[in-house]
Amino acid sequence: MMDYDKIKAGVKLMLEGIGEDVTREGLLETPDRIARMCTEIYGGLYEDASVHLQKQFSVESDDMVIERDITFYSTCEHHLLPFYGKAHIGYLPEGRVAGLSKLARTVDVFARRPQIQEKMTVQIARALEENLKPKGVIVMLEAEHTCMTMRGIKKPGSKTVTMTALGLFREQKELQDRFLAMVRQ
Ligand code: ZN
């Protein structure tokens, strides 16, 4: 599990490094606060998406299942600044579907760790593929990266869009188009 003493020592060092007075009232509790916060924002490192995706139901139909606009918050591993936005997931079931809340949980497992958006997109798609064994799965993430908006090139409102398609979604462009049309509605 997480080493809170290390986190606290690290935060204190960083504050000293930027020239802050770590003994002033506002900063006194900050290392401790950040250590506790890490459980929440990096706790996905200690979770397994398979646990959530075990909860499955049988279905007769093989129609496309789409869960869109799943809000997520993650942390860019290059700057440790937040990136956040929406995840859209589509899959073609092969007799089994996951509980709808479990798709959101799966997104959370991969969002709550130091992350890059491209990798997170693939991780979500692979977890669904491995656990549900669908005919195809597609994942699209749209996010604003505060490392691009509050620093660097400073382009507020710009969105980074990533997409991964596996199985039938990879092979058949018209399936991708159907998914995109439903997500964009
Ligand atoms: Zn970044």
Side-chain angles (χ1 to χ4, degrees):
M1 274 307 280
M2 290 188 196
D3 185 331
Y4 294 108
D5 289 336
K6 272 196 174 170
I7 300 168
K8 281 194 265 186
V11 171
K12 192 161 167 270
L13 268 178
M14 196 189 101
L15 287 169
E16 285 170 355
I18 64 172
E20 264 289 3
D21 171 9
V22 292
T23 64
R24 70 181 175 85
E25 198 189 2
L27 291 179
L28 216 48
E29 304 285 324
T30 299
D32 189 54
R33 247 182 244 119
I34 291 185
R36 279 183 276 123
M37 178 181 77
C38 282
T39 310
E40 212 171 314
I41 67 175
Y42 300 132
L45 287 169
Y46 302 91
E47 284 179 34
D48 184 351
S50 308
V51 174
H52 302 299
L53 291 170
Q54 289 308 305
K55 185 90 191 148
Q56 298 174 2
F57 306 94
S58 307
V59 282
E60 300 280 316
S61 103
D62 56 358
D63 291 330
M64 192 185 299
V65 177
I66 291 182
E67 183 74 6
R68 66 171 208 193
D69 297 325
I70 303 167
T71 302
F72 72 86
Y73 293 87
S74 189
T75 308
C76 134
E77 67 185 20
H78 298 142
H79 301 92
L80 294 187
L81 285 173
F83 68 95
Y84 56 91
K86 307 273 189 199
H88 314 292
I89 295 174
Y91 65 99
L92 294 158
E94 176 82 86
R96 289 186 296 178
V97 294
L100 287 181
S101 67
K102 306 306 175 191
L103 298 181
R105 286 235 183 263
T106 300
V107 171
D108 245 17
V109 166
F110 295 110
R112 291 165 54 238
R113 52 181 79 184
Q115 190 56 285
I116 59 172
Q117 188 178 324
E118 294 85 340
K119 189 164 92 183
M120 183 174 152
T121 314
V122 175
Q123 285 172 328
I124 296 167
R126 293 249 167 86
L128 291 168
E129 185 181 52
E130 279 162 29
N131 289 282
L132 291 175
K133 312 256 187 282
K135 291 176 185 147
V137 55
I138 189 163
V139 176
M140 181 172 145
L141 302 186
E142 302 179 282
E144 178 166 333
H145 289 246
T146 56
C147 64
M148 285 179 51
T149 53
M150 69 178 279
R151 61 159 291 286
I153 58 169
K154 293 202 175 69
K155 291 277 179 262
S158 70
K159 287 218 173 110
T160 304
V161 181
T162 48
M163 199 169 87
T164 297
L166 303 173
L168 286 184
F169 278 105
R170 191 177 195 88
E171 293 156 26
Q172 300 181 17
K173 181 148 186 315
E174 54 278 20
L175 281 174
Q176 281 190 27
D177 292 343
R178 246 174 80 200
F179 169 78
L180 289 172
M182 287 173 88
V183 161
R184 296 288 187 210
Q185 260 172 24

